[in-house]
Amino acid sequence: MEKELKLINVNKKYKMAGKETFQALYDINVEFEKGELVSIVGESGSGKSTLMNLIGGLDSDFTGEIISGGENLGKLTDRELDKYRKNKVGFVFQSFNLISHLSILDNVTLALTLSNVGEKEKVERAKNILDRVGLSEHLKKKPTQLSGGQKQRVAIARALINDPDIIIADEPTGALDSGTSMQILQILKEIADSGKLVIMVTHSEKVASISSRVVEISDGRITGDHKNEKYKKTKSAKIAVDVSKTTTHETENATTDTAENASSKSDKKKKAKNSKDKQNLSLWQAIRLSFHNMWASKTKNFLMAFGVAIGIGSLILMMSFSSGITDYISATMNSYSDPTIATISKTGSSSDLASMFAYNSFSEEEIDGLVSNINAELDRQFQEGLLEEKFEITDENISYGIQMMTMTTGAKVIYNPDGIVVDYFNDAEMAESGLSFQNIIYLYTTPPYYTDTNIIDGEMSTAEGGIMFSPSIARLFEDESIFNEDGTNREVDIAFTFTNAQGQSTNLTFDHQEITATVDTSVMSNFLVMYIDYNYFQTLFNQNQGTNLDPNVLYIKTDSEEVTNAINSILAGMEGYTGSIEEQLANMFINMSSVIGTSLIVISCISLLVSAMMILVVLYMSVTERTKEIGVLKSIGARRKDIKRIFTSESFLVGLLSGVVGIVFNVILTLIVYLVLINTIGIAPISYRWWYFAVALLVSIGISMVAGLYPASKAAKLDPVESLRRE
Ligand code: ADP
Ligand code: MG
């Protein structure tokens, strides 16, 4: 009869630092049969554990042959060895090596979980076996709640769950008192008597004397091998494991169960092949296992998640801030423009503020040229069917304006073709001006798209003698009102001086001008802007200068929004022209805010990088803390892939948790920032896009999974023998 286990000329050398080796086993030749209860005895350091690890398939670095159940261990691939450990052998260790964060039930079923056996079958089999070792009452307990003897019985149940042919027990009673030792021994004996091969390492003579055979090892060599003639088999070995189970190991395939007959056997084998993937640890189970582990150190994990969450939360805030500013500006822009008026102004020669504020006027020839260019293009678009209606710019639908000429009350504004120079009045002149302090004023001629809806206070009128202001004007009066006590319009005198290129200066004075209204001026609201009728302004200017001031804005009243858009896009394609100055300003703000927004996002990303390092360190430490556990997992047949999967699931969970906490944190943070902004500057430009949260989740899961790559692969590569040896 074929022996269950056969070792032929087995030699084992450990590689040491450098090129040195240490030979732990010499020419081991030994055979074992099913039903034997073998004690391996020998002094500490004689090579017993080394032998056990070889037999158990934990260590495949040896010379010679080990034939177990017909398989030549030295010739198996890593995957086949994993399978061998999973199905053919069961390990019992001196220090129990139960996984502390899993319940007794989960510890016992771990090997089945690794094989993706269905929940129901798993529990049934575990209960069955735990019942046999007398622990059916303790399924839900954690290992720390059990006594040493109970723990070892759990470990035995775990070793038995896959119905292996060989049980390897390395000093199973070493950590137990003698009474408990005897109970454990009795269980092992019953397992052997039920037809399995049990090989145990022991120091206790008493334990050895009860076994059916004693093999002595000394300095890596077998020095004795005695059969115990007095050995008596237990009559009815009650541990006889799971009679319903087949001798093949296909049963681990989740769908199989007890009804076993010859005809279905081949079907079953096929099935097992087809569902090969299903025989391995499922992603869901990996997540469940890592969840248990994370739960076991929830404080640590929560703190770590919170650290990441701070980065994630501020990242969302920065994104919503940056889009909020853009939204706010474009919303205000939209509410202050008329879709049937196209505004044209000239861009400065460069994009800096000084150039933008310079007075870029249109000469008559330039206007004619521009208008005919636009007309030609509009005509072409109409001919080609790009425009539904024909539109031509004529004297009828074009009007002019002046915008953004800087002047100051209490100051002389000196105009010359090269720019504007500001010269201050003396105190006496200042007192005469009627305004309480100096302030820069922007002069606008009233744009045609301003209507009553833009009026804040007073009435829309910039006919002769009347001027309008942005709301800030009111603040310049003590009672903050543009009206006198009797309800009449307040009047102001504003005087400034234009100096032409030849140095001839002319005073331009607005005497007793009624402030007829304050208007909301979109992005210009916080500036002091004065609105005056274009024709009235030109009359005044002509009186003083003998000539008109060239306009710097053209307004084209179109028939439809379509034409307006067409004109705007024609302008966009032309060098040197742009829309209204508000539009330019708005674009500048949007650009500025996106620069600021981007830098804030970069800062958040740096904080996320720090978080990633933190995750890496924590997961790395977790691998170190859990080497024993990883060794145990490997001993029961976990593949590298499974270990990696468990650790990767853990980083996934860390990322998910951080993302969720980050979103909650962000909502709270945003609320605070919102309230602070509303109560201080009156507006809170924060707008969310739904996908910000999705991005946050993905980023947080992404960084934790990337950070987890290294620890996970380190865990997967741990040498099981090394990790189990670790105390
Ligand atoms: P036992 O279990 O009988 O106490 P071991 O099998 O653990 O002994 O060890 C046998 C010998 O091999 C000892 O001398 C030990 O120091 C050595 N040894 C064990 N593991 C290693 C290793 N990884 N590298 C080098 N030597 C080792
Ligand atoms: Mg040992």
Side-chain angles (χ1 to χ4, degrees):
M1 190 190 133
E2 183 69 36
K3 301 279 182 190
E4 176 62 27
L5 179 65
K6 211 166 160 180
L7 283 80
I8 307 161
N9 283 332
V10 172
N11 283 275
K12 165 72 193 174
K13 284 178 183 159
Y14 284 109
K15 292 189 178 64
M16 316 274 284
K19 285 217 166 79
E20 276 175 61
T21 55
F22 174 81
Q23 182 146 7
L25 292 177
Y26 295 86
D27 299 325
I28 303 292
N29 284 289
V30 64
E31 294 180 352
F32 301 97
E33 266 178 283
K34 278 190 179 170
E36 281 188 297
L37 175 63
V38 186
S39 279
I40 310 273
V41 296
E43 286 184 1
S44 177
S46 55
K48 305 180 298 292
S49 295
T50 304
L51 184 64
M52 295 293 106
N53 291 336
L54 292 182
I55 295 171
L58 276 174
D59 184 356
S60 55
D61 180 24
F62 60 89
T63 60
E65 280 182 67
I66 301 176
I67 316 285
S68 177
E71 289 184 282
N72 190 336
L73 295 195
K75 297 225 161 73
L76 297 185
T77 63
D78 281 354
R79 291 202 54 174
E80 286 166 333
L81 264 180
D82 290 337
K83 269 203 156 157
Y84 170 77
R85 285 199 301 272
K86 204 192 284 188
N87 302 320
K88 299 270 174 89
V89 290
F91 282 93
V92 178
F93 305 95
Q94 175 178 4
S95 51
F96 325 125
N97 287 347
L98 298 178
I99 294 171
S100 59
H101 57 82
L102 295 180
S103 68
I104 300 312
L105 184 67
D106 284 335
N107 263 287
V108 172
T109 55
L110 205 51
L112 298 178
T113 304
L114 288 173
S115 303
N116 200 19
V117 171
E119 198 62 33
K120 228 181 117 197
E121 191 190 339
K122 244 169 45 174
V123 174
E124 213 168 278
R125 271 160 76 171
K127 274 187 177 162
N128 202 352
I129 290 174
L130 280 168
D131 195 31
R132 281 153 211 254
V133 296
L135 278 176
S136 49
E137 306 292 296
H138 307 278
L139 297 184
K140 292 275 177 297
K141 284 190 178 170
K142 289 280 162 70
T144 46
Q145 293 165 308
L146 298 185
S147 72
Q150 285 174 320
K151 282 185 201 167
Q152 199 57 300
R153 282 190 256 168
V154 174
I156 292 173
R158 178 177 65 189
L160 287 174
I161 193 85
N162 256 335
D163 191 23
D165 298 324
I166 306 174
I167 297 288
I168 293 168
D170 195 347
E171 302 191 38
T173 58
L176 303 174
D177 60 69
S178 61
T180 320
S181 292
M182 281 316 172
Q183 289 172 12
I184 294 299
L185 193 64
Q186 187 55 37
I187 292 172
L188 290 172
K189 176 167 158 35
E190 286 179 21
I191 294 169
D193 293 346
S194 75
K196 294 182 187 303
L197 168 59
V198 178
I199 305 176
M200 63 178 167
V201 171
T202 184
H203 273 119
S204 151
E205 296 217 346
K206 202 171 165 203
V207 169
S209 68
I210 287 174
S211 51
S212 72
R213 179 175 163 190
V214 178
V215 175
E216 286 166 28
I217 292 194
S218 169
D219 289 334
R221 290 182 176 84
I222 293 183
T223 51
D225 192 343
H226 320 281
K227 283 238 156 74
N228 179 356
E229 302 302 340
K230 282 185 237 156
Y231 185 80
K232 276 210 182 68
K233 281 201 173 187
T234 322
K235 285 262 164 56
S236 59
K238 70 170 167 142
I239 208 79
V241 182
D242 221 351
V243 278
S244 59
K245 278 211 60 199
T246 58
T247 44
T248 72
H249 289 277
E250 310 299 342
T251 30
E252 68 173 28
N253 191 349
T255 51
T256 58
D257 62 307
T258 53
E260 190 65 40
N261 58 54
S263 68
S264 74
K265 216 164 181 177
S266 63
D267 284 1
K268 215 155 252 176
K269 267 187 180 158
K270 251 185 226 156
K271 220 178 200 172
K273 248 195 179 136
N274 288 343
S275 56
K276 211 171 170 191
D277 286 344
K278 287 196 180 152
Q279 285 185 35
N280 292 320
L281 176 68
S282 70
L283 195 59
W284 166 243
Q285 289 297 340
I287 290 177
R288 205 179 69 95
L289 285 178
S290 22
F291 180 77
H292 275 296
N293 178 58
M294 280 179 67
W295 187 253
S297 37
K298 34 188 181 308
T299 316
K300 179 186 82 180
N301 283 305
F302 189 78
L303 286 176
M304 169 168 71
F306 194 71
V308 183
I310 292 173
I312 291 289
S314 14
L315 178 71
I316 311 178
L317 181 66
M318 294 318 155
M319 293 199 292
S320 47
F321 227 175
S322 154
S323 56
I325 292 173
T326 311
D327 284 358
Y328 172 75
I329 293 172
S330 39
T332 26
M333 284 304 303
N334 288 339
S335 61
Y336 295 106
S337 58
D338 179 334
T340 64
I341 294 176
T343 305
I344 308 176
S345 52
K346 290 170 76 172
T347 52
S349 51
S350 63
S351 64
D352 64 5
L353 268 182
S355 171
M356 208 166 106
F357 279 58
Y359 192 74
N360 295 304
S361 60
F362 289 95
S363 67
E364 254 176 67
E365 304 83 65
E366 194 177 1
I367 294 172
D368 289 346
L370 185 62
V371 164
S372 64
N373 278 343
I374 296 174
N375 278 340
E377 179 61 19
L378 286 174
D379 190 47
R380 187 190 68 77
Q381 291 191 6
F382 174 70
Q383 302 295 346
E384 289 178 12
L386 298 171
L387 267 181
E388 271 177 31
E389 53 189 311
K390 178 152 181 61
F391 183 82
E392 193 180 357
I393 305 171
T394 63
D395 284 350
E396 300 293 304
N397 51 35
I398 189 164
S399 59
Y400 309 99
I402 286 165
Q403 285 195 343
M404 275 290 198
M405 243 183 76
T406 315
M407 54 184 211
T408 14
T409 62
K412 295 178 232 183
V413 176
I414 300 158
Y415 166 76
N416 66 50
D418 298 326
I420 286 154
V421 180
V422 177
D423 183 18
Y424 288 96
F425 283 120
N426 61 34
D427 284 350
E429 287 168 320
M430 173 70 193
E432 267 172 45
S433 73
L435 290 169
S436 52
F437 60 88
Q438 296 181 9
N439 224 300
I440 291 180
I441 299 182
Y442 298 96
L443 174 72
Y444 268 49
T445 57
T446 314
Y449 47 78
Y450 273 14
T451 64
D452 285 344
T453 57
N454 297 99
I455 300 291
I456 295 172
D457 210 356
E459 270 170 48
M460 178 88 183
S461 162
T462 55
E464 281 184 32
I467 49 175
M468 302 193 297
F469 275 97
S470 55
S472 354
I473 187 74
R475 275 184 256 140
L476 302 186
F477 299 103
E478 253 167 47
D479 56 359
E480 303 208 344
S481 167
I482 58 164
F483 301 110
N484 290 312
E485 269 165 29
D486 63 0
T488 56
N489 290 333
R490 203 155 233 164
E491 291 178 2
V492 285
D493 297 343
I494 299 171
F496 50 110
T497 309
F498 285 106
T499 308
N500 66 15
Q502 287 70 44
Q504 298 168 311
S505 63
T506 318
N507 289 323
L508 187 54
T509 49
F510 298 89
D511 287 331
H512 305 295
Q513 297 292 319
E514 278 185 18
I515 302 174
T516 58
T518 49
V519 281
D520 196 342
T521 52
S522 88
V523 283
M524 297 296 291
S525 281
N526 288 319
F527 298 91
L528 195 50
V529 185
M530 185 180 108
Y531 292 91
I532 185 167
D533 180 71
Y534 179 73
N535 293 323
Y536 177 48
F537 175 83
Q538 290 293 19
T539 313
L540 286 177
F541 195 85
N542 213 317
Q543 275 168 12
N544 289 280
Q545 291 284 97
T547 170
N548 276 357
L549 181 65
D550 284 339
N552 68 346
V553 191
L554 310 180
Y555 300 105
I556 298 159
K557 173 79 186 150
T558 67
D559 299 337
S560 67
E561 199 170 342
E562 191 198 10
V563 176
T564 311
N565 290 338
I567 294 177
N568 283 336
S569 60
I570 293 169
L571 284 172
M574 286 167 110
E575 194 68 25
Y577 299 103
T578 172
S580 64
I581 287 178
E582 283 105 325
E583 234 170 276
Q584 276 191 67
L585 255 189
N587 285 336
M588 192 182 74
F589 286 141
I590 288 173
N591 287 343
M592 253 160 56
S593 79
S594 81
V595 168
I596 295 170
T598 311
S599 11
L600 290 177
I601 288 169
V602 167
I603 293 172
S604 307
C605 287
I606 293 173
S607 89
L608 287 178
L609 211 65
V610 174
S611 314
M613 288 306 296
M614 186 172 68
I615 295 176
L616 196 145
V617 169
V618 171
L619 289 180
Y620 188 87
M621 273 162 51
S622 165
V623 171
T624 319
E625 275 167 23
R626 288 158 74 190
T627 35
K628 248 309 173 23
E629 179 182 334
I630 295 162
V632 172
L633 282 167
K634 287 207 164 156
S635 76
I636 60 174
R639 303 165 304 159
R640 279 184 175 197
K641 225 178 176 174
D642 298 329
I643 309 267
K644 211 171 202 166
R645 194 170 257 192
I646 292 171
F647 276 84
T648 311
S649 309
E650 194 161 328
S651 19
F652 169 80
L653 285 181
V654 167
L656 187 68
L657 179 66
S658 313
V660 171
V661 177
I663 286 170
V664 172
F665 175 73
N666 167 264
V667 170
I668 297 168
L669 190 67
T670 306
L671 199 70
I672 295 170
V673 170
Y674 178 85
L675 288 176
V676 167
L677 286 181
I678 283 290
N679 289 314
T680 52
I681 63 171
I683 53 161
I686 293 171
S687 46
Y688 280 104
R689 310 274 190 266
W690 68 268
W691 52 266
Y692 287 178
F693 293 116
V695 166
L697 265 187
L698 286 179
V699 165
S700 127
I701 290 172
I703 58 164
S704 358
M705 291 192 66
V706 168
L709 282 181
Y710 176 62
S713 88
K714 183 172 159 82
K717 280 188 197 137
L718 279 184
D719 175 3
V721 176
E722 283 285 315
S723 33
L724 285 171
R725 203 176 281 274
R726 194 107 33 116
E727 282 310 321

